[in-house]
């Protein structure tokens, strides 16, 4: 009986505290109780909705918690994980207390461009990675920090990019814009001096974007509506090593002679288009994907102008399946020209 009365009194005491305290004071009271219960100091300043393990004192894990808003972020946090929630908006000032943030992970939420403040990210001068893919964004958030190196905006509903969206972002090396509604991006990438990888798969592009950065090495443009390749495309962007143009509307007419005969190119994917001939490629090319086109003949001259002991292709992978040729169409001389090939699929 005494024990029951004591527990009741304890409950009454906690209830009275809850009535006297404001919302934030009540949360502080709960955190104080955690401190007395033996929680580490790093956990005390952690939102109740999240985990801040003492083994990773600068990380805050709030993923898959059914959150509808961004919780309070302590000033010492550098990595915040908010993916797989139901967050629809972010108000200005949410991150103002945590200006040391390096990573902000917000993919797989319900972010709406109209519900994101104009200066949400502007004070995060140390931000390196911003992951906003798989949301409901219709435009690139404004005033992004200039020091970001990895920006992910894929799988949204972006149909237009303002000319100043990436202005001053000279450190950006990786940009993901796949699976949006982009038809034309103009010259928005021109100032991205450090960009090496650009992913624009699954959009509505009718041409290869203009004014690509000179350091670009990887360009992914699969599943668009591109019909042609500019004549000096690879001469202009000489550092490109991986070019993927599968699932477009390319024809022989849209591919200028020798446009792909550039020594720096390592991988070229032209599969699932409407080509009838094998384009001329560099002897340094290692992987060529031409499956599911309308190719009618095997032209050895596309790989080697002459075939001898010193003049041969470095091609290792060649796919020609789902075309209008078979193994018997490959001439015997191919054994000299394509001596490095490990696999030919016809």
């Amino acid at each position: 009986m005494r024990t029951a009365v004591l527990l009741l009194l304890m409950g009454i005491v906690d209830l009275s505290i809850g009535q006297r305290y404001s919302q934030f004071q009540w949360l502080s009271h709960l955190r104080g109780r955690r401190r007395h219960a033996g929680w580490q100091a790093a956990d005390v300043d952690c939102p109740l909705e999240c985990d801040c393990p003492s083994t990773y004192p600068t990380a805050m894990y709030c993923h898959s918690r059914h959150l509808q808003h961004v919780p309070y972020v302590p000033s010492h946090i550098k990595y915040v994980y908010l993916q797989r929630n139901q967050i629809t908006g972010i108000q200005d000032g949410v991150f103002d207390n945590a200006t040391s943030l390096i990573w902000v992970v917000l993919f797989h939420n319900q972010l709406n461009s109209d519900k994101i403040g104009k200066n949400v990210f502007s004070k995060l001068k140390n931000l390196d990675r911003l992951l906003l893919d798989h949301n409901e964004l219709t435009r690139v958030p404004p005033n992004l920090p200039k020091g970001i190196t990895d920006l992910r905006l894929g799988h949204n509903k972006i149909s237009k990019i303002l000319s100043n969206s990436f202005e001053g972002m000279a450190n950006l090396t990786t940009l993901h814009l796949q699976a949006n509604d982009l038809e034309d991006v103009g010259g928005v990438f021109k100032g991205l001096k450090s960009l090496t990888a650009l992913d624009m798969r699954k959009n509505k592009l009718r041409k290869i974007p203009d004014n690509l950065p000179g350091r670009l090495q990887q360009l992914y443009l699969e599943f668009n509506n591109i019909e042609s390749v500019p004549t000096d495309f690879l001469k202009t962007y000489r550092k490109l090593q991986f070019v993927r143009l599968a699932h477009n509307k390319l024809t022989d007419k849209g591919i200028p002679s020798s446009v792909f005969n550039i020594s720096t190119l390592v991988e070229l994917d032209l599969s699932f288009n409407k080509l009838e001939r094998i384009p001329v490629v560099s002897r340094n090319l290692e992987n060529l994907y031409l499956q599911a086109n309308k190719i009618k003949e095997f032209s050895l001259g596309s790989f080697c102008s002459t075939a001898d002991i010193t003049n041969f292709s470095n091609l290792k992978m060649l796919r020609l399946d789902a075309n209008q040729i078979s193994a018997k169409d490959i001439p015997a001389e191919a054994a000299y020209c394509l001596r490095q090939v490990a696999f030919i699929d016809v």
Side-chain angles (χ1 to χ4, degrees):
M1 184 64 179
R2 289 182 179 178
T3 303
V5 171
L6 180 60
L7 291 174
L8 180 60
L9 288 172
M10 290 176 65
I12 292 172
V13 170
D14 275 349
L15 180 60
S16 66
I17 292 174
Q19 291 172 340
R20 287 201 315 267
Y21 282 20
S22 69
Q23 179 183 3
F24 296 106
Q25 288 172 322
W26 176 237
L27 289 174
S28 297
H29 171 69
L30 290 177
R31 294 191 182 102
R33 282 171 48 181
R34 291 200 303 185
R35 185 189 298 113
H36 293 304
W39 285 62
Q40 304 248 351
D43 298 315
V44 172
D45 200 25
C46 187
L48 293 177
E49 308 97 318
C50 308
D51 291 324
C52 306
S54 57
T55 49
Y56 300 99
T58 59
M60 188 171 102
Y61 297 94
C62 313
H63 55 288
S64 305
R65 308 294 170 96
H66 303 288
L67 299 179
Q68 296 182 5
H69 67 280
V70 176
Y72 160 80
V73 183
S75 59
H76 69 277
I77 294 297
K78 295 183 178 180
Y79 307 91
V80 61
Y81 300 91
L82 293 157
Q83 68 269 28
R84 302 188 186 280
N85 283 295
Q86 286 105 44
I87 300 170
T88 58
I90 312 173
Q91 295 181 349
D92 281 333
V94 167
F95 297 119
D96 285 5
N97 188 56
T99 54
S100 296
L101 280 170
I102 297 175
W103 287 13
V104 174
V105 182
L106 277 159
F107 62 79
H108 279 289
N109 273 282
Q110 298 170 15
L111 289 174
N112 185 310
S113 290
D114 294 331
K115 296 181 180 180
I116 296 180
K118 293 183 178 180
N119 295 296
V120 164
F121 304 107
S122 63
K123 294 183 180 180
L124 305 181
K125 306 301 182 184
N126 298 310
L127 194 63
D128 183 65
R129 302 184 73 189
L130 179 58
L131 279 57
L132 298 171
D133 33 331
H134 292 277
N135 278 285
E136 303 292 326
L137 300 177
T138 54
R139 54 184 179 269
V140 178
N143 300 314
L144 293 174
K146 307 304 182 187
I148 292 178
T149 65
D150 186 354
L151 178 59
R152 306 197 180 191
L153 293 162
H155 298 274
N156 278 284
K157 298 178 180 179
I158 300 171
S159 59
K160 185 178 181 179
I161 301 178
L162 298 178
S163 59
N164 64 346
S165 291
F166 306 120
E167 188 175 356
M169 299 180 70
N171 294 330
L172 191 65
T173 58
T174 304
L175 178 58
H176 292 256
L177 286 164
Q178 73 274 20
N180 277 286
D181 296 320
L182 294 165
E183 293 186 17
D184 188 3
V185 292
V188 296
F189 307 126
K190 186 176 182 180
L192 303 180
K193 299 178 180 179
S194 300
L195 195 69
T196 59
L198 175 61
D199 190 345
M200 296 196 70
R201 293 169 294 152
K202 297 184 178 180
N203 275 282
K204 299 176 181 178
L205 297 175
R206 296 180 180 178
K207 65 175 185 177
I208 294 175
D210 299 323
N211 297 307
L212 294 172
R215 293 187 181 181
L216 197 65
Q217 298 176 14
Q218 302 172 45
L219 180 61
Y220 305 133
L221 295 169
E222 304 102 303
F223 293 96
N224 278 286
N225 299 315
I226 298 170
E227 297 180 354
S228 62
V229 179
T231 302
D232 295 326
F233 174 53
L234 289 174
K235 289 182 180 179
T236 305
Y237 309 112
R238 289 188 172 274
K239 291 188 180 295
L240 272 173
Q241 298 180 33
F242 302 88
V243 175
R244 295 179 183 172
L245 284 160
H247 292 276
N248 276 282
K249 297 180 179 180
L250 292 171
T251 62
D252 294 337
K253 183 179 178 180
I255 297 182
S257 176
S258 300
V259 68
F260 297 121
N261 190 9
I262 299 296
S263 61
T264 54
L265 200 60
V266 174
E267 180 175 294
L268 177 62
D269 188 350
L270 299 172
S271 60
F272 294 90
N273 278 286
K274 300 178 181 180
L275 303 179
E276 296 183 19
R277 298 192 303 270
I278 299 174
V280 176
V281 295
S282 167
R283 287 187 298 163
N284 291 333
L285 190 70
E286 295 183 6
N287 301 304
L288 177 60
Y289 302 95
L290 289 165
Q291 70 270 25
N293 276 280
K294 298 180 179 180
I295 297 171
K296 301 176 181 179
E297 63 174 330
F298 189 96
S299 50
L300 196 58
S302 296
F303 309 101
C304 301
S305 55
T306 58
D308 54 44
I309 195 169
T310 60
N311 187 16
F312 57 89
S313 170
N314 287 316
L315 204 65
K316 296 178 174 59
M317 166 69 76
L318 175 60
R319 286 198 60 177
L320 286 163
D321 46 304
N323 278 286
Q324 298 176 25
I325 57 175
S326 62
K328 66 180 181 180
D329 296 314
I330 301 176
E333 293 85 353
Y336 296 100
C337 172
L338 302 176
R339 67 184 69 176
Q340 302 283 356
V341 171
F343 183 79
I344 298 180
D345 195 349
V346 292

